[in-house]
Amino acid sequence: MTTEDEAQRLLIVEDEDHLAAGLKLNLELEGYRVDVASNAKEAGQRLLDPSGYDAIVLDVMLPDVNGFDLCRKFREAGNFIPVIMLTARSSPEDRVLGLEAGADDYLVKPFELNELLARVRSVLRRQRWEQNTGHHVKQTTLSFGDAEINFDTHEVTVSGEAVQLTQLELDLLRYFAENAGRVLSRNELLERVWKLRNYGNTRTVDNFISRLRRRFESDPSSPVHFLSVRGAGYKFSA
Ligand code: CA
């Protein structure tokens, strides 16, 4: 068995037993090793396991600490495991909260099982691609405008102020930086950054571009770094 074939480990943090059991079963059928934590405290204990997890599926509504706070705590502790949040709420503010808390992706309940499986495959593929290609060696730092980014240490500052980016935001930023000046279609970004092929929903890309603009543009409504190219996609200019 090669490293590539070893089962990847997932942690589901979900207090609704039937939902957790259903997710566990289906993810196991896909070949993952799956553990379930039914509250934030248990999740914290699980994450101390030195063999670690490859990704976390995290429910927002937990009995002790809410998922947003738990995710923020992981990130503040320097834990950059991919997190997919499950939210029962669908208001744009909640989606933003999830992403602000450092989630890589989110799904609104009720969701299709296939959609969750696709998102899980996507975050894991992205992580494996990083590890296998040593992609971060190619470009370790980036500066543009008032921003300084170190892709190795995840240290990001804007005008000297520390900013926290998720792995996905860093990956997207790096892909832009490595392809500066070139027009990148939404589908290319989904395929190269999200590792999603023939994925119909390109809104995800637009949401993340908005996020990068809010982080890095002095006037997000008239961007000078993350440019829209009408009918084609986006272009990065340092
Ligand atoms: Ca719940």
Side-chain angles (χ1 to χ4, degrees), residues 62-78:
L62 294 170
D64 43 3
V65 176
N66 81 48
F68 298 130
D69 291 341
L70 186 60
C71 186
R72 198 172 293 117
K73 264 171 67 181
F74 293 156
R75 297 313 189 213
E76 282 167 6

Side-chain angles (χ1 to χ4, degrees), residues 65 73 86 90 135 147 170 174 182 199 210-211 229 233 236:
V65 176
K73 264 171 67 181
L86 305 180
S90 61
H135 189 73
L170 284 167
R174 184 160 47 198
R182 188 160 78 76
Y199 188 72
S210 301
R211 272 182 66 67
V229 180
F236 175 72

Side-chain angles (χ1 to χ4, degrees), residues 94-109:
D94 282 332
R95 296 177 189 208
V96 171
L97 259 181
L99 297 171
E100 292 283 352
D104 295 273
D105 211 340
Y106 60 81
L107 276 174
V108 177
K109 288 179 178 179

Side-chain angles (χ1 to χ4, degrees), residues 13-16 19 59-63 109:
V13 187
E14 168 64 79
D15 59 312
E16 289 163 61
L19 179 56
D59 185 35
V60 170
M61 305 293 276
L62 294 170
K109 288 179 178 179

Side-chain angles (χ1 to χ4, degrees), residues 85-186:
M85 293 195 98
L86 305 180
T87 168
R89 303 176 275 186
S90 61
S91 80
E93 300 82 61
D94 282 332
R95 296 177 189 208
V96 171
L97 259 181
L99 297 171
E100 292 283 352
D104 295 273
D105 211 340
Y106 60 81
L107 276 174
V108 177
K109 288 179 178 179
F111 51 83
E112 295 284 332
L113 180 65
N114 282 338
E115 181 74 13
L116 175 71
L117 296 177
R119 305 287 182 97
V120 167
R121 278 196 295 272
S122 160
V123 295
L124 292 174
R125 253 197 318 260
R126 206 164 59 229
Q127 201 185 38
R128 176 165 285 176
W129 165 72
E130 291 240 323
Q131 287 162 355
N132 285 356
T133 60
H135 189 73
H136 59 282
V137 173
K138 280 160 74 184
Q139 176 133 11
T140 57
T141 60
L142 168 69
S143 19
F144 64 95
D146 300 322
E148 301 281 339
I149 292 108
N150 184 320
F151 292 110
D152 281 347
T153 61
H154 290 226
E155 282 167 332
V156 180
T157 58
V158 177
S159 307
E161 298 274 316
V163 168
Q164 248 187 336
L165 296 190
T166 65
Q167 186 63 55
L168 180 53
E169 290 170 318
L170 284 167
D171 291 346
L172 181 57
L173 196 50
R174 184 160 47 198
Y175 195 74
F176 271 123
E178 288 175 356
N179 294 280
R182 188 160 78 76
V183 177
L184 305 172
S185 70
R186 290 172 178 79

Side-chain angles (χ1 to χ4, degrees), residues 35-56:
D35 291 319
V36 174
S38 55
N39 55 51
K41 186 163 172 255
E42 214 183 305
Q45 285 161 353
R46 289 273 185 192
L47 290 166
L48 296 175
D49 180 345
S51 56
Y53 290 92
D54 296 293
I56 303 170

